[in-house]
Amino acid sequence: MKALQPLIRSTELFAEAKELIPGGVNSPVRAFRGVNRDPIFIDHADGAFIYDVDGNRYIDYIGSWGPLILGHNHPEVYKAVLAASAKGLSFGAATEGEVLMARLMTSLVPSLEMVRMVNSGTEAAMSALRAARGFTRRDKIVKFAGCYHGHSDALLVKAGSGLLSGGMPDSAGVPVACTADTLVASFNDIDSVEQLFAQHPKQIAAVIVEPVAANMGVVLPDDGFLEGLREICSAEGALLIFDEVITGFRLGLAGAQGYYGVQPDLTAFGKIIGGGMPVGAYGGRREVMELIAPSGPVYQAGTLSGNPVAMAAGLCQLQFLQDHPEVYDHINHLGNMLFTGLTEISSRAGAPCSVNHIGSLGSLFFTNEKVGDFKTARTADTGQYARYFAHLIERGIYQAPSQFEALFVSYAHTEAEIHKTLEIVEDFFRIPL
Ligand code: KE4
């Protein structure tokens, strides 16, 4: 086992970064606070591997939190970005690439009659909710404890006491008024949703859900949960919004909605559709999307929305996925190997662990509980996870620096990386917890 080079350059950069950037990072989870250690700084990546600024190589199971489904630096995506950037980086005007992207996405996702490009998953979820409120002329929204839909004010809400209260802001700087219309239900608990509709008849514009939750760790929908949400929304005149920023094009070309056969009214996308560039999108029923400016009264805009270089990267990646269905066979096979291996190793060791996974997406929780919602996810021992994280990263395995995130396998991973990873995991579980 090649020991890592000391993290000298990462340490220097982090010290300087903390002077200039809040917490030294441009997104909180990158600060590694969830695992009580300083972050590594990345120099470059290629295929299934990421390299830090001190020359250490890691097997990468983050893949930029999902976008790099083909692995880093895919030659075709790289060529597409170079070709597009040679023509100009941004015009703030309509381009053919946006039409091609809209055509491709609406051809692959049956519920998508129209789509609007934005620059992040946050913008996509925020804008989809605005469209739903504009269409229904209702103000309240339902989200689920533990589901994350980006950092727009109305969605930064933790479950109030009980599950039926109006949301309390999860962040300083968010006025209570911005979250007063955000109601919080419990994932996999249809009754908690029905109670909200009973308490707020004809006031709820939309229910927004990650069809496979991946921000409390990975939590799968129980049989009938998504179908139940569909029925309730249809009966109550509310819109069902699937936040497929992670699951979109990850679980298959039609995402979770295709996998589970439940059709939302609107969908939020991000990550994979950008091929690693900043891209989000939202779309769905034509009668809803035609309310979006300039065709209707719901305003939403963005200087870099549909950026030609980002469209080139996203188009190339989506077209590759469409032309190579074997990508899904490959990542699902490796995902199955990895997550079955994690289950077997931890149970052989008698460790208090449980694993949730679907295809190439999954999480190992340090809890004996079956993790089916936010409450059970929170029983996980984050101290144990931090020790597990340290053992793996110090041996060249790079995974989420938080118990409440997901592992992602890419098309660039091979069985060799999975075997190597499982060897190191087995080594960890030999140490008494
Ligand atoms: P962005 O604004 O970060 O592009 O997307 C927000 C978002 C929306 N919906 C879902 C289901 C998401 O998972 C995300 C963002 N995911 C996190 C990782 N769990 C991004 C990592 C980060 O915040 O740095």
Side-chain angles (χ1 to χ4, degrees), residues 1 59 61 337-351 353-355 363-366 384-385 387-399 407 416-433:
M1 169 65 53
I59 300 172
Y61 288 106
M337 256 181 86
L338 175 65
F339 296 110
T340 308
L342 292 175
T343 305
E344 286 168 357
I345 291 167
S346 55
S347 58
R348 258 201 314 271
C353 291
S354 70
V355 174
S363 299
L364 167 69
F365 292 94
F366 279 85
Q384 278 297 10
Y385 182 83
R387 281 184 283 284
Y388 170 71
F389 177 88
H391 186 86
L392 266 67
I393 198 166
E394 286 161 12
R395 290 159 182 79
I397 308 296
Y398 183 65
Q399 61 178 339
L407 278 163
E417 284 74 61
I418 305 301
H419 286 309
K420 166 105 186 282
T421 304
L422 292 175
E423 270 170 37
I424 293 168
V425 169
E426 186 128 42
D427 191 38
F428 170 76
F429 281 105
R430 284 198 192 92
I431 310 161
L433 287 186

Side-chain angles (χ1 to χ4, degrees), residues 27 29 65 120-122 148-150 210 215 243 245-246 271 405:
S27 195
V29 73
W65 302 99
S120 68
T122 294
Y148 176 67
H149 306 291
E210 293 177 61
N215 285 284
D243 177 342
V245 168
I246 282 189
K271 299 184 192 270
E405 297 287 355

Side-chain angles (χ1 to χ4, degrees), residues 26-30 64-66 119-125 147-151 209-210 212-216 243-247 268-271 279-280 404-406 408:
N26 283 310
S27 195
V29 73
R30 303 178 193 171
S64 185
W65 302 99
N119 300 284
S120 68
T122 294
E123 269 192 274
C147 284
Y148 176 67
H149 306 291
H151 63 89
V209 67
E210 293 177 61
V212 171
N215 285 284
M216 47 179 142
D243 177 342
E244 295 223 40
V245 168
I246 282 189
T247 55
F269 295 94
K271 299 184 192 270
V279 178
F404 304 112
E405 297 287 355
F408 300 90

